Amino acid sequence: MTASEPTIAEPTIAEPNATEPTIAEPTVAEPTGTEGFGTLDGLISELAAGEKRWARTGLSERIALLSAVRRSVAAQAEDWARTAALIKGLSPDSPLVGEEWISGPYPMLTAAATLAESLSRIGRGRSPVAGARFGTAPGGRVTVQVLPHTPYEAVLLHGFRAEVWMPPGVSADTVRSRAGLAELHPRQTQGVGLVLGAGNITSIPPLDVLYELVAHNRVVLLKLNPVLERMLPVYRAALAPLIEHGVLRIVTGDGRVGGYLAHHPGIAHVHITGSAATHDVVVFGAGAEGAERKAAATPLLSKPITSELGGVSPIIVMPGTWSRRDLRYQAEHVATQRLHNGGYNCIAGQVVVLSGDWSQKDAFLAELRAAVRRAPARPAWYPGSDGRVEDAVAAYPGAERLGRGRVLIRVGAGDDPEAIRSTETFAPVLGVIELPGRGAAFLDAAVETVNRDFLGTLGANVIADPRTLRALGTGFRTALARLRYGTIAVNTWTGLGFLTAAAPWGAYPGHTLNDVQSGIGIVHNALLIDSPERTVVSGPFRPFPRSVLHGEFALFPKPPWFVTARSAAMTGRLLTGFAARPSWLRMPRVFASAFRA
């Protein structure tokens, strides 16, 4: 935020035993029969009235509501992280609890702040992307830098950047004039939206709520995934300003509840985060009849649906000349992409694409095995995980069990790669396939392979040392332009794109109900950019201080989201506190903790 931008009220992080404010609690439906559905009908009627109230809610009041949400999220941050850790079976003193801070309250705080800033700019007749750095990408594309977005981010995430690539032919002036989406016409509301919440990352459901309200002008009925039902009191308190304003209701229940709501005449739009199979059940129905409807392209659902559905994310490792420390660090990087949150991420890296001609291939794989083995133990907390692991092993009898339920599948010349590249395992299963070539020839083959053969288009990762990137020159960005993925990460993980409030998040555009792949539409996107094509995030190949010693200007240590980061819990807590109350004086403690990773 520049000095000319308005000041947003700064919340504080509540200590574990702090007295929480009294909050009016909405009715939560847990239907066991048709009588429960009557409760749902009542909540939808309440939201219909809330839509009228939202239409009368001006930009200044919406900004105040977002600031209030920021304060209430900060007040609940401790309970939020603790409850999430309990759901996932993490010990309170485990460094892995840092994941629950960084992927829970932290992105909610940054999203609320950035959305409030965007609305403030619109209210003053400016574009949300006013002042952003514009550039170009191959194919006649305009780019918008979205990370760093504030001076604080430029220091806290030094060496990392993110840019939004627009579709070919869209001008910078068009981007500026259309940024704002529904907030350009705040009185034109879009009905009651249903959000079928994710069950893996705790920030996803409330982030989706914010996007429905602000970007689409829809009031929201949030139906929690049963896996995260214990988060209900936290969500209820954290989102209390929206509940009290009448624009949000939260319900729990099983699949019957979700099905009833999705097809309810009072629901104007459905957004789902989950699997393609769940999406198809909602859209076409279950069983053989649902399959017939899908084949005939005759959906049961007669209303718009957007979705974020995961996929098989590749990790393309470019061959180069790496030091032993490079091999170890990047092996931990790949292990993190697979094992973060236990492997239960829609954006988890699933298949490493290696050059069979890389002289250091075996050394890298040895370090990768070691990194997977030494990652902290955690329970297989997501339902069905063990069965999915066994299915993968059955498909590849030569799979290596690396302890703690983790599996490495090296697809050999006699193996069929189809199973690992076309099934999202949603479990700690990591595949490795090899392609011939070096340099540009290998990169071209890798891009063609993942575009053609891999399920989904949510995210792709590319790891390449600076010398290799220099040798590829402009051809590297040309290759990125050919990668059909919604988020592409270079020397970082696509998860950073998820965490960046101003970055759009979703599948590559163009999917349909009948071939949904990784979904339809985007979320997050706190600068409210209209119809982006993709996000490209990048980071340093080496952590500080080796980054600087090797000519990379990046002052970032081992990232706190690495599964091997020993200080991740404290860093996550401090980052969340910083997001609640940004201050240069609070920054040294964050760095001190991060450098102990």
Side-chain angles (χ1 to χ4, degrees), residues 345-403:
N345 284 333
C346 56
I347 200 58
Q350 182 167 311
V351 179
V352 180
V353 182
L354 288 179
S355 168
D357 299 322
W358 185 24
S359 62
Q360 293 182 293
K361 172 189 64 180
D362 291 336
F364 175 73
L365 288 173
E367 288 287 357
L368 181 57
R369 292 185 186 94
V372 172
R373 285 193 179 100
R374 69 174 173 266
R378 66 173 101 203
W381 63 271
Y382 202 86
S385 175
D386 290 340
R388 291 189 294 274
V389 170
E390 294 309 312
D391 288 344
V393 172
Y396 296 96
E400 302 175 54
R401 294 186 183 267
L402 300 179

Side-chain angles (χ1 to χ4, degrees), residues 30-323:
E30 298 184 5
T32 57
T34 55
E35 71 283 355
F37 292 149
T39 304
L40 297 174
D41 295 341
L43 294 179
I44 293 171
S45 295
E46 291 176 17
L47 286 169
E51 182 191 2
K52 296 186 174 107
R53 185 174 185 179
W54 189 240
R56 297 192 302 271
T57 303
L59 289 175
S60 60
E61 191 175 359
R62 293 184 184 196
I63 293 167
L65 276 170
L66 288 168
S67 296
V69 167
R70 194 173 168 200
R71 289 192 295 272
S72 55
V73 168
Q76 290 300 310
E78 187 79 39
D79 280 346
W80 188 317
R82 183 171 57 240
T83 303
L86 285 171
I87 291 170
K88 299 175 183 183
L90 299 177
S91 169
D93 58 358
S94 169
L96 295 174
V97 175
E99 295 178 356
E100 304 315 317
W101 285 95
I102 294 171
S103 67
Y106 171 77
M108 271 295 291
L109 290 164
T110 58
T114 310
L115 285 168
E117 177 192 354
S118 292
L119 267 59
S120 177
R121 290 186 174 191
I122 293 169
R124 290 182 286 116
R126 301 182 68 202
S127 169
V129 297
R133 179 177 298 175
F134 282 73
T136 60
R141 292 172 171 89
V142 161
T143 66
V144 188
Q145 182 177 299
V146 295
L147 178 71
H149 179 61
T150 68
Y152 293 131
E153 286 182 341
V155 176
L156 277 176
L157 291 167
H158 192 270
F160 292 87
R161 64 179 281 134
E163 56 184 20
V164 176
W165 291 21
M166 300 302 295
V170 176
S171 70
D173 286 343
T174 298
V175 177
R176 292 187 186 96
S177 65
R178 293 183 180 175
L181 300 178
E183 293 303 321
L184 298 176
H185 307 283
R187 294 186 63 84
Q188 298 176 16
T189 54
Q190 303 295 321
V192 179
L194 171 66
V195 170
L196 296 174
N200 58 334
I201 294 292
T202 57
S203 64
I204 294 177
L207 284 172
D208 292 346
V209 166
L210 290 186
Y211 200 68
E212 283 290 291
L213 270 173
V214 177
H216 298 299
N217 244 1
R218 277 191 287 267
V219 298
V220 182
L221 180 59
L222 168 61
K223 190 267 179 190
L224 298 184
N225 187 299
V227 178
L228 293 187
E229 279 190 10
R230 283 202 288 181
M231 288 293 297
L232 176 61
V234 175
Y235 290 151
R236 185 185 282 162
L239 300 174
L242 304 178
I243 294 169
E244 293 168 352
H245 198 65
V247 296
L248 172 66
R249 293 292 181 263
I250 307 174
V251 302
T252 62
D254 58 18
R256 295 179 305 116
V257 176
Y260 179 80
L261 291 172
H263 295 274
H264 194 287
I267 296 293
H269 179 275
V270 178
H271 179 78
I272 179 173
T273 303
S275 69
T278 302
H279 168 273
D280 286 352
V281 168
V282 172
V283 173
F284 298 104
E289 291 183 359
E292 290 175 5
R293 291 190 193 96
K294 183 176 180 180
T298 54
L300 274 177
L301 197 69
S302 59
K303 62 193 68 173
I305 180 169
T306 53
S307 51
E308 192 262 84
L309 306 174
V312 175
S313 294
I315 307 169
I316 299 170
V317 179
M318 293 294 298
T321 303
W322 297 4
S323 70

